């Protein structure tokens, strides 16, 4: 599950760190970028945002092939 950022949040910087927790050692894809969960199941990756609404898709799969998807929306407003 994604713990940060919160779905529907608004940010003023063009990059956001996506953090979450799943089963230990799971493969995690954040907008198609692959990261591995650590031995405690924690994962994180930095995502570059476009101005406006951004949809971030997080997919986690374990060694047995079980997969879970979560979609969150983050709005980037540079104030320009």
């Amino acid at each position: 599950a994604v713990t940060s950022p919160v779905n529907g949040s608004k940010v003023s910087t063009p990059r956001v760190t996506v953090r979450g927790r799943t089963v230990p050692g799971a493969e995690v894809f954040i907008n198609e970028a692959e990261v591995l969960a650590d031995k405690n199941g924690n994962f994180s990756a930095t995502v570059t945002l476009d101005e406006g609404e951004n949809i971030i898709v997080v997919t986690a799969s374990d060694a047995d092939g079980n997969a879970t998807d979560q979609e969150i929306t983050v709005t980037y407003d540079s104030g320009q």
Side-chain angles (χ1 to χ4, degrees):
V2 174
T3 57
S4 173
V6 175
N7 187 37
S9 60
K10 294 182 180 180
V11 297
S12 59
T13 56
R15 295 167 66 96
V16 65
T17 300
V18 178
R19 291 185 173 89
R21 190 165 190 171
T22 185
V23 296
E27 284 186 319
V28 180
F29 289 88
I30 301 173
N31 284 355
E32 301 180 8
E34 184 176 7
V35 297
L36 286 176
D38 67 17
K39 65 181 180 177
N40 298 315
N42 298 306
F43 63 86
S44 68
T46 301
V47 175
T48 301
L49 304 172
D50 294 323
E51 182 83 26
E53 191 175 272
N54 293 263
I55 296 172
I56 300 171
V57 179
V58 179
T59 304
S61 59
D62 63 17
D64 295 328
N66 300 309
T68 303
D69 293 336
Q70 185 173 357
E71 191 174 285
I72 58 171
T73 302
V74 177
T75 302
Y76 166 44
D77 183 356
S78 66
Q80 302 272 337

